Amino acid sequence: GDSVTQMEGPVTLSEEAFLTINCTYTATGYPSLFWYVQYPGEGLQLLLKATKADDKGSNKGFEATYRKETTSFHLEKGSVQVSDSAVYFCALLNQGGKLIFGQGTELSVKP
Amino acid sequence: DVKVTQSSRYLVKRTGEKVFLECVQDMDHENMFWYRQDPGLGLRLIYFSYDVKMKEKGDIPEGYSVSREKKERFSLILESASTNQTSMYLCASSFSGTVYNEQFFGPGTRLTVL
């Protein structure tokens, strides 16, 4: 079945470091891809999305490119801040309209 | 501003109790969802609803039921709570028929069953 795999956390970085969180997926057809973020004590918020191959989603300095050839949607940010500390979820929306999540990656940014 | 609200942020119940978790959205969304979130497992879909009085099982429906009597409200029911249902429960809603069907999430209810 369809699935999403993320790199395991926790990821601990210093402020202004470069961030990459890997995400790969398995799905039939052409799913839409998402990154959601969950700040401490809150629900999930959509961070960015891409609906077709080679699309780049971006928001708040985060970027991710839909790579069909490698079935990947890695999340990147050039310079992280303490306020970026959160749990990040990669997800796909499959042909049946179901949203499938990865296990989440916790990011901790130290001053 | 879009809003999905859940009736409680924290809830403590005893084994065998009947538990109701309520979710309300003010965006006139057709679709509503209940997930549970557990460390290392991400979010898993329990039930969803595409319309009033309609419901569909998700991946882990055992031990749960749902009710949708009004479009804006979707309730999750634990008929007889058990300790393995201790978890974070997240409600979400979305429009139907959009290209990517973005789901909007509530803040979550952290349920502890003793």
Side-chain angles (χ1 to χ4, degrees):
Chain A
D2 299 337
S3 65
V4 176
T5 302
Q6 294 178 231
M7 64 185 285
E8 287 195 23
V11 174
T12 303
L13 295 173
S14 298
E15 208 165 21
E16 299 184 2
F18 185 86
L19 169 71
T20 300
I21 300 178
N22 291 337
C23 171
T24 57
Y25 68 90
T26 302
T28 54
Y30 302 93
S32 296
L33 300 174
F34 305 84
W35 277 101
Y36 280 85
V37 59
Q38 184 179 35
Y39 297 105
E42 298 184 12
L44 273 67
Q45 303 173 24
L46 180 65
L47 181 60
L48 53 83
K49 64 183 185 291
T51 57
K52 61 183 187 296
D54 299 325
D55 266 3
K56 178 185 281 189
S58 61
N59 186 25
K60 298 182 181 181
F62 291 89
E63 293 183 340
T65 301
Y66 190 142
R67 301 284 188 202
K68 187 156 179 62
E69 63 276 11
T70 54
T71 61
S72 65
F73 193 54
H74 304 322
L75 182 68
E76 296 181 336
K77 187 174 185 182
S79 176
V80 293
Q81 305 300 313
V82 172
S83 57
D84 294 325
S85 297
V87 181
Y88 293 82
F89 291 91
C90 184
L92 69 83
L93 184 69
N94 68 10
Q95 289 182 317
K98 185 175 173 183
L99 198 58
I100 296 171
F101 290 86
Q103 72 269 37
T105 302
E106 182 181 357
L107 170 66
S108 177
V109 180
K110 305 296 185 187
Chain B
D1 203 12
V2 297
K3 212 151 181 94
V4 179
T5 56
Q6 296 183 226
S7 51
S8 304
R9 295 299 299 271
Y10 299 93
L11 210 52
V12 179
K13 296 292 182 181
R14 298 215 174 268
T15 302
E17 280 192 79
K18 190 169 186 176
V19 182
F20 293 86
L21 302 182
E22 304 285 340
C23 175
V24 177
Q25 52 95 2
D26 66 359
M27 295 166 282
D28 203 34
H29 285 167
E30 293 84 8
N31 306 329
M32 295 189 76
F33 308 83
W34 275 106
Y35 296 89
R36 64 176 282 175
Q37 179 183 2
D38 299 290
L41 297 177
L43 275 72
R44 293 178 292 167
L45 182 63
I46 305 171
Y47 267 97
F48 58 101
S49 169
Y50 285 146
D51 201 351
V52 175
K53 297 193 185 295
M54 294 185 66
K55 58 186 178 184
E56 298 282 345
K57 291 180 180 179
D59 298 318
I60 50 165
E62 296 78 19
Y64 304 94
S65 62
V66 291
S67 172
R68 191 160 181 208
E69 296 296 320
K70 294 185 177 182
K71 189 175 185 180
E72 67 271 17
R73 188 179 297 268
F74 192 36
S75 302
L76 179 70
I77 303 155
L78 287 65
E79 295 290 342
S80 178
S82 63
T83 55
N84 63 13
Q85 292 178 311
T86 291
S87 186
M88 169 72 89
Y89 290 87
L90 291 167
C91 175
S93 68
S94 70
F95 283 116
S96 63
T98 60
V99 173
Y100 57 87
N101 286 2
E102 176 185 346
Q103 293 188 16
F104 295 86
F105 284 81
T109 295
R110 186 166 293 283
L111 172 67
T112 302
V113 182
L114 302 175

